[in-house]
Amino acid sequence: SQQGEEDPQALSIQEGENATMNCSYKTSINNLQWYRQNSGRGLVHLILIRSNEREKHSGRLRVTLDTSKKSSSLLITASRAADTASYFCAAIYNFNKFYFGSGTKLNVKP
Amino acid sequence: KAGVTQTPRYLIKTRGQQVTLSCSPISGHRSVSWYQQTPGQGLQFLFEYFSETQRNKGNFPGRFSGRQFSNSRSEMNVSTLELGDSALYLCASRHIEFQETQYFGPGTRLLVL
């Protein structure tokens, strides 16, 4: 399978703490994207990192990509209760094949 | 711009029936992809349509089919429903070929009894 795989499957933290989730994939990618899904709804695109980039920031989000290890991490700093959601990585191949992992369920306790 | 819309939002069917789900992409988007999401399997890619042609297909049985119309709206059909087809079906659209970000609809939740 070429799917991205997230780790951990579930994460529970207190408001204000940082949340880190990881993603691994199988073969060379064009880019890797992170999406958020609030309970039972559609996915919302958060951030994209290209295969030639190592780190990217967007607000409280920081994404890293290690192509030698075929892995990526998403860091959410100073978590808020509103960040409670499931987070998915998507490995993109051939520019038009999206492979999503099974997601990390994040619970931020107020 | 209006987002991706999916109808119906909820559906209850019985085994053996068939179902048709509809997806209207964001105006101007010509690529529509369909995904099945279940608690155990995560998001599984079904197929992608671009300009009325199926470009990619996932590993689903032939009971799952789709089509795209000239206005880019897409439908997916599942025939001879099985209990295991109960899932959230998501569609996503992109502006042009090779646009990198997908925009998702809210999904259709299908329950097969």
Side-chain angles (χ1 to χ4, degrees):
Chain A
S1 168
Q2 293 171 307
Q3 283 183 323
E5 298 290 336
E6 284 94 346
D7 168 58
Q9 289 187 324
L11 184 59
S12 186
I13 59 174
Q14 292 293 140
E15 218 168 19
E17 293 181 338
N18 295 340
T20 299
M21 47 206 93
N22 305 296
C23 168
S24 60
Y25 55 92
K26 298 285 175 66
T27 61
S28 297
I29 56 172
N30 302 117
N31 64 72
L32 188 137
Q33 302 179 25
W34 286 89
Y35 288 77
R36 183 186 73 208
Q37 182 181 37
N38 288 93
S39 183
R41 301 194 171 197
L43 279 69
V44 175
H45 179 259
L46 293 176
I47 193 165
L48 177 157
I49 185 164
R50 300 184 196 286
S51 58
N52 61 353
E53 296 176 317
R54 293 297 167 258
E55 189 170 310
K56 203 153 181 187
H57 296 254
S58 176
R60 294 185 294 114
L61 304 180
R62 172 180 169 250
V63 169
T64 60
L65 180 66
D66 186 334
T67 52
S68 66
K69 294 181 181 176
K70 294 186 170 58
S71 67
S72 172
S73 68
L74 171 68
L75 168 68
I76 304 174
T77 60
S79 296
R80 304 166 183 167
D83 295 328
T84 294
S86 291
Y87 292 82
F88 293 85
C89 71
I92 289 76
Y93 306 86
N94 297 333
F95 293 103
N96 62 8
K97 293 183 188 291
F98 286 68
Y99 289 90
F100 286 85
S102 52
T104 292
K105 200 169 229 184
L106 173 66
N107 180 35
V108 181
K109 294 176 280 188
Chain B
K1 265 187 185 177
V4 178
T5 58
Q6 291 186 246
T7 57
R9 292 293 311 279
Y10 303 92
L11 207 47
I12 300 175
K13 292 284 187 180
T14 55
R15 276 184 301 174
Q17 287 187 310
Q18 75 163 26
V19 67
T20 299
L21 311 182
S22 180
C23 171
S24 292
I26 291 172
S27 178
H29 287 197
R30 292 196 292 160
S31 166
V32 174
S33 296
W34 287 90
Y35 295 86
Q36 181 195 66
Q37 185 178 23
T38 56
Q41 297 294 319
L43 268 81
Q44 301 285 315
F45 172 73
L46 281 155
F47 27 66
E48 180 189 14
Y49 285 87
F50 176 75
S51 292
E52 301 179 67
T53 302
Q54 186 181 89
R55 287 207 314 171
N56 294 305
K57 191 176 190 305
N59 295 323
F60 277 81
R63 300 186 296 109
F64 292 81
S65 63
R67 59 177 175 167
Q68 186 179 35
F69 302 96
S70 58
N71 62 357
S72 294
R73 189 177 69 86
S74 177
E75 288 181 348
M76 68 162 279
N77 184 275
V78 189
S79 62
T80 320
L81 284 166
E82 300 176 0
L83 295 180
D85 296 333
S86 294
L88 180 67
Y89 289 88
L90 294 163
C91 85
S93 72
R94 283 190 287 166
H95 181 250
I96 56 172
E97 198 172 19
F98 303 139
Q99 188 194 29
E100 294 167 313
T101 301
Q102 292 194 339
Y103 295 83
F104 282 81
T108 293
R109 188 164 293 282
L110 172 65
L111 177 61
V112 182
L113 301 175

